[in-house]
Amino acid sequence: LLPRATPLYSEEGGVAGVTIVLQDVTRLMRFDELKNDLVATVAHEFRTPLTSLRMAIHLTAEEAVGPLTPKQVELMQAAREDCERLQGIVDDLLDLSRIQSGRMALQVDRVDAGALLAGAATALRGAAEAAGLELAVSAPEPPVEVRADPERAGIVLSNLLANAVRHTPRGGRVELSARLAGEGAVRFEVRDTGEGIAREHLERVFDKFYRVPGSRSGGVGLGLYISREIVHAHGGEMGAESVPGRGSTFWFTLGLASEHAGGGVKATA
Ligand code: ADP
């Protein structure tokens, strides 16, 4: 039951009473469950054919099955990019269903913060170069370790970096950094000199399926939602600051691996 209370005011402006409405949301919740099941099933069923499709396109594009005309090469490249995009959407939908059913298990370990930055930078360096952007990495010195699932934390950084690359015009700069942020936390930042986000959208970009109207999108508006859920599952926080026309900074925190848990990490800046 979802309770909702509304005050009733007297003519003098004082509170004279309260109406309380109890709405039975069982059917709505059931509908939400069905929707989640449908999304998960469809995304799951897409995986196998998508893998075959990617393989066929890859072999054809690499001319493993015969030479291509320049026009065919161009078409194959477009098909390849669409497949990657589709794969990204399927992965996001599967992550969403894992989050909603509480099945996103973390394999937490001690992870070097600099290695996380380097992994994301390596994955996106080609895209940044193709987009004519400078990509800078600033790792903490001396090195620090965080307690994180390296794969999931890598997904968060890659999502933020891919967004920064997508929303920064040619000639701009994207910077990845991490530093000790007090209270046993490490703060990761992805800063860009791109189009920025207006205040009324900035609060909503972390919402499920939210995309800024008129902005280029990488998927279905799930990237930041999933990223924030992953960070929250680690006990960290995530946020963003932006100046429209100047750029954006997306940040998140992860817990510092303690000195006493083995491995000899120094928790000093
Ligand atoms: P998607 O996966 O569809 O790209 P996201 O959840 O990653 O969705 O992002 C939500 C919205 O936030 C996007 O539509 C985009 O407009 C905006 N956005 C995200 N990152 C940036 C950025 N670095 N600069 C400007 N806009 C951004």
Side-chain angles (χ1 to χ4, degrees):
L1 287 182
L2 181 73
R4 243 191 296 260
T6 317
L8 290 174
Y9 295 101
S10 66
E11 276 173 16
E12 293 78 43
V15 177
V18 181
T19 54
I20 296 177
V21 178
L22 293 174
Q23 188 191 359
D24 181 351
V25 291
T26 316
R27 284 185 56 199
L28 274 178
M29 284 171 67
R30 181 79 194 115
F31 178 68
D32 221 40
E33 255 173 51
L34 283 173
K35 204 175 65 187
N36 291 347
D37 284 354
L38 178 72
V39 166
T41 308
V42 170
H44 197 78
E45 291 301 321
F46 272 26
R47 281 203 319 186
T48 312
L50 198 50
T51 304
S52 316
L53 206 53
R54 288 172 79 202
M55 183 58 77
I57 291 173
H58 175 75
L59 291 174
T60 313
E62 296 300 315
E63 308 200 8
V65 285
L68 299 179
T69 65
K71 186 68 197 166
Q72 286 169 330
V73 169
E74 200 184 302
L75 288 172
M76 277 298 131
Q77 186 52 31
R80 212 176 204 174
E81 282 165 19
D82 281 344
C83 255
E84 293 310 319
R85 199 174 137 81
L86 203 52
Q87 180 74 54
I89 293 173
V90 167
D91 289 345
D92 278 357
L93 291 175
L94 286 170
D95 274 341
L96 175 71
S97 85
R98 280 190 201 108
I99 290 167
Q100 287 181 331
S101 59
R103 280 183 295 116
M104 197 182 56
L106 296 180
Q107 306 282 335
V108 175
D109 207 341
R110 300 173 69 100
V111 191
D112 181 68
L116 278 176
L117 298 178
T122 304
L124 271 296
R125 190 166 296 282
E129 276 170 14
L133 303 174
E134 182 193 342
L135 176 58
V137 179
S138 163
E141 200 52 59
V144 293
E145 284 184 316
V146 289
R147 282 188 57 71
D149 178 324
E151 197 182 321
R152 299 267 169 209
I155 288 174
V156 174
L157 270 173
S158 301
N159 277 344
L160 298 183
L161 187 51
N163 278 347
V165 168
R166 187 173 306 118
H167 296 286
T168 305
R170 197 160 274 280
R173 177 183 157 92
V174 175
E175 188 184 341
L176 278 174
S177 65
R179 60 181 161 79
L180 281 175
E183 307 215 354
V186 175
R187 180 179 167 111
F188 291 79
E189 279 188 6
V190 179
R191 183 183 293 267
D192 67 56
T193 59
E195 64 196 38
I197 304 166
R199 178 183 287 273
E200 67 264 33
H201 299 298
L202 193 57
E203 284 154 25
R204 303 187 58 191
V205 291
F206 295 100
D207 291 352
K208 212 187 299 173
F209 296 117
Y210 190 78
R211 293 186 289 183
V212 176
S215 157
R216 267 183 72 199
S217 191
V220 287
L222 282 174
L224 289 174
Y225 171 78
I226 290 169
S227 299
R228 177 128 93 174
E229 288 295 315
I230 292 175
V231 170
H232 285 171
H234 281 84
E237 284 175 56
M238 184 173 213
E241 284 124 38
S242 186
V243 181
R246 299 280 293 277
S248 312
T249 301
F250 281 83
W251 59 266
F252 63 94
T253 56
L254 290 175
L256 192 65
S258 94
E259 263 183 90
H260 311 292
V265 175
K266 285 269 181 297
T268 48

